[in-house]
Amino acid sequence: MSTAGKVQPLEVVAASVEAAREAGKTVALANGAFDLLHVGHVRYLEGAKALADVLVVAVNDDASVRALKGPGRPRLPAAERAELVAALACTDHVLLFGELDVRAVLRRLRPHLQVKGTDYTPETVPERDELAAWGGRVAIAGDPKDHSTTELLERMERPSK
């Protein structure tokens, strides 16, 4: 599937997820802002894909990133961030969402797994109760939280030595 074909509205992704589930495939959902894609993002998403047959990535829209990260963010517009995430071989479907958390997306897709990065534990994932409602579970993937967009932006703004 082309990069552009991977980025779809929630209802289109939901139909694909339902078909995958009916075919006996395991579906995982990962989510985030993905502002200035970096190696930590790639390792997180590759780790998420390793846990499932189908990886859906929900990308925060611009308004929700601003609300979560503050003024000046995101640095890249939502459509570009979604396209970058879709360009990764490990992603199967990408969608944009505007809420401050991913509960509504989880409710609609009902994935087998919600995969979060290593800055979480299964007990600290805010939406873990949503998954329990249909027998889904939380998984943690990626490398240690040694990379962040905030840190990357700070390094880029410092004069080089």
Side-chain angles (χ1 to χ4, degrees):
M1 181 181 302
S2 72
T3 297
K6 288 184 185 180
V7 181
Q8 297 288 336
L10 177 60
E11 288 309 311
V12 173
V13 173
S16 294
V17 164
E18 288 167 19
R21 193 175 9 272
E22 288 173 10
K25 294 183 178 179
T26 303
V27 177
L29 176 90
N31 68 283
F34 303 102
D35 195 11
L36 297 185
L37 194 63
H38 57 70
V39 70
H41 292 136
V42 172
R43 291 172 182 167
Y44 161 52
L45 295 175
E46 287 179 339
K49 175 63 176 187
L51 299 171
D53 300 309
V54 176
L55 177 61
V56 177
V57 182
V59 177
N60 290 84
D61 71 7
D62 294 342
S64 64
V65 172
R66 256 188 308 284
L68 292 165
K69 306 286 186 181
R73 297 284 300 275
R75 293 294 176 98
L76 295 176
E80 291 179 17
R81 291 183 284 114
E83 186 176 340
L84 287 167
V85 169
L88 299 174
C90 60
T91 63
D92 297 299
H93 303 283
V94 178
L95 62 92
L96 291 169
F97 75 105
E99 296 79 19
L100 297 182
D101 66 39
V102 75
R103 288 178 190 277
V105 174
L106 286 168
R107 276 188 223 112
R108 180 62 187 99
L109 299 182
R110 297 172 61 94
H112 298 94
L113 300 167
Q114 179 189 17
V115 184
K116 298 295 270 186
T118 57
D119 47 337
Y120 290 90
T121 66
E123 297 75 33
T124 62
V125 173
E127 304 91 358
R128 67 187 178 282
D129 57 319
E130 292 293 335
L131 285 101
W134 60 83
R137 65 183 178 88
V138 170
I140 306 300
D143 63 352
K145 186 69 173 176
D146 294 335
H147 310 91
S148 77
T149 299
T150 301
E151 174 200 305
L152 180 59
L153 287 168
E154 288 170 357
R155 278 194 327 213
M156 291 170 68
E157 291 169 358
R158 274 187 249 137
S160 60
K161 297 178 182 182

